[in-house]
Amino acid sequence: MGHAMAKTILITGVNRGIGRELARQAIARGDTVLGTSRAPVADAICPVTIADVTDPASLAPLAAGPPIDLLVCNAGQYLARGGLDHPDHTADAWQQVLMTNVAGVFFSVRAVVDRLRAAPEAKVAVISSVMGSSARAPGGSVLYRSSKAAASNLTANLAKEFEAEGIAFGAYHPGWVRTDMGGGHADIDVVQSARGLHQRFDALSIETSGVFESYDGTPIAY
């Protein structure tokens, strides 16, 4: 994997699915992993701060601590799967999904930016989705697609903002993964997704900052 030395990694939404598997694999290779979850985790595999990424005050305790080499913005929500007329596209659903999938990335980065600045080659990985690519817009799931398009756009803008400070940003599609969110008929399991994602995170550098790519390295159009 080209993993030269142990890192300190913070993963939001570490309690299940891809976040938990990313943590498990990172711990297995010797990294120090910290996580966030909205609720206590009975079988946590790493230290977990109870925090909601939509609430900056709850993220405030993360501001202090040792340098963070990699922040993985993984916390996400997928509500409503239809188009314009789908009844699940309520104001509350828009509020929840945009606040979690977009503002949650912003608030997570802002909460720990000084710890990122303290690391020699800090990176931020945003778990986005190919569903947010405007080049691949088939209709349907418009709320989730819109939120992931915005998350990728935010990633690109933060990449420019922090280029001079040497903090690299990347947006990543984890694949269609068999999780609570992805469902049982998805293409790949969390182990394969997380393994590929870690390879992408390792490859991320200030020279490639702003990338939007799949877990297998395939570039994705914004």
Side-chain angles (χ1 to χ4, degrees):
M1 283 192 185
H3 188 66
M5 58 197 314
K7 305 288 187 186
T8 296
I9 303 175
L10 173 62
I11 302 172
T12 65
V14 78
N15 50 303
R16 62 189 178 123
I18 294 167
R20 184 180 176 89
E21 181 60 22
L22 283 169
R24 189 193 68 77
Q25 291 187 20
I27 292 166
R29 69 183 197 175
D31 293 324
T32 297
V33 179
L34 310 169
T36 73
S37 173
R38 287 188 296 174
V41 184
D43 55 349
I45 59 174
C46 67
V48 176
T49 297
I50 305 305
D52 186 330
V53 296
T54 70
D55 176 15
S58 77
L59 293 167
L62 296 170
I68 291 174
D69 300 293
L70 171 64
L71 167 64
V72 182
C73 296
N74 167 73
Q77 286 205 61
Y78 190 164
L79 304 176
R81 294 175 187 252
L84 189 69
D85 293 331
H86 199 284
D88 288 349
H89 280 126
T90 61
D92 183 60
W94 277 94
Q95 167 96 3
Q96 284 188 58
V97 173
L98 291 177
M99 283 298 293
T100 303
N101 296 2
V102 189
V105 173
F106 180 88
F107 290 138
S108 297
V109 174
R110 195 162 70 174
V112 301
V113 67
D114 287 336
R115 295 176 68 180
L116 292 166
R117 286 175 169 135
E121 295 178 352
K123 307 177 186 186
V124 177
V126 176
I127 304 302
S128 185
S129 173
V130 70
M131 290 178 69
S133 170
S134 297
R136 308 187 195 185
S141 297
V142 291
L143 170 50
Y144 185 75
R145 290 180 190 278
S146 298
S147 75
K148 290 303 187 180
S152 298
N153 180 274
L154 174 60
T155 306
N157 278 283
L158 291 175
K160 289 296 183 187
E161 181 176 344
F162 286 93
E163 188 174 26
E165 294 192 59
I167 302 176
F169 285 76
Y172 300 94
H173 171 55
W176 186 21
V177 188
R178 292 189 288 274
T179 61
D180 291 344
M181 185 182 291
H185 300 292
D187 293 335
I188 60 173
D189 61 23
V190 289
V191 175
Q192 184 179 350
S193 174
R195 186 183 302 122
L197 287 169
H198 272 304
Q199 290 172 347
R200 303 325 309 153
F201 304 162
D202 289 345
L204 177 63
S205 69
I206 199 64
E207 288 75 29
T208 61
S209 188
V211 295
F212 182 16
E213 58 190 12
S214 181
Y215 74 99
D216 62 2
T218 306
I220 299 171
Y222 278 93

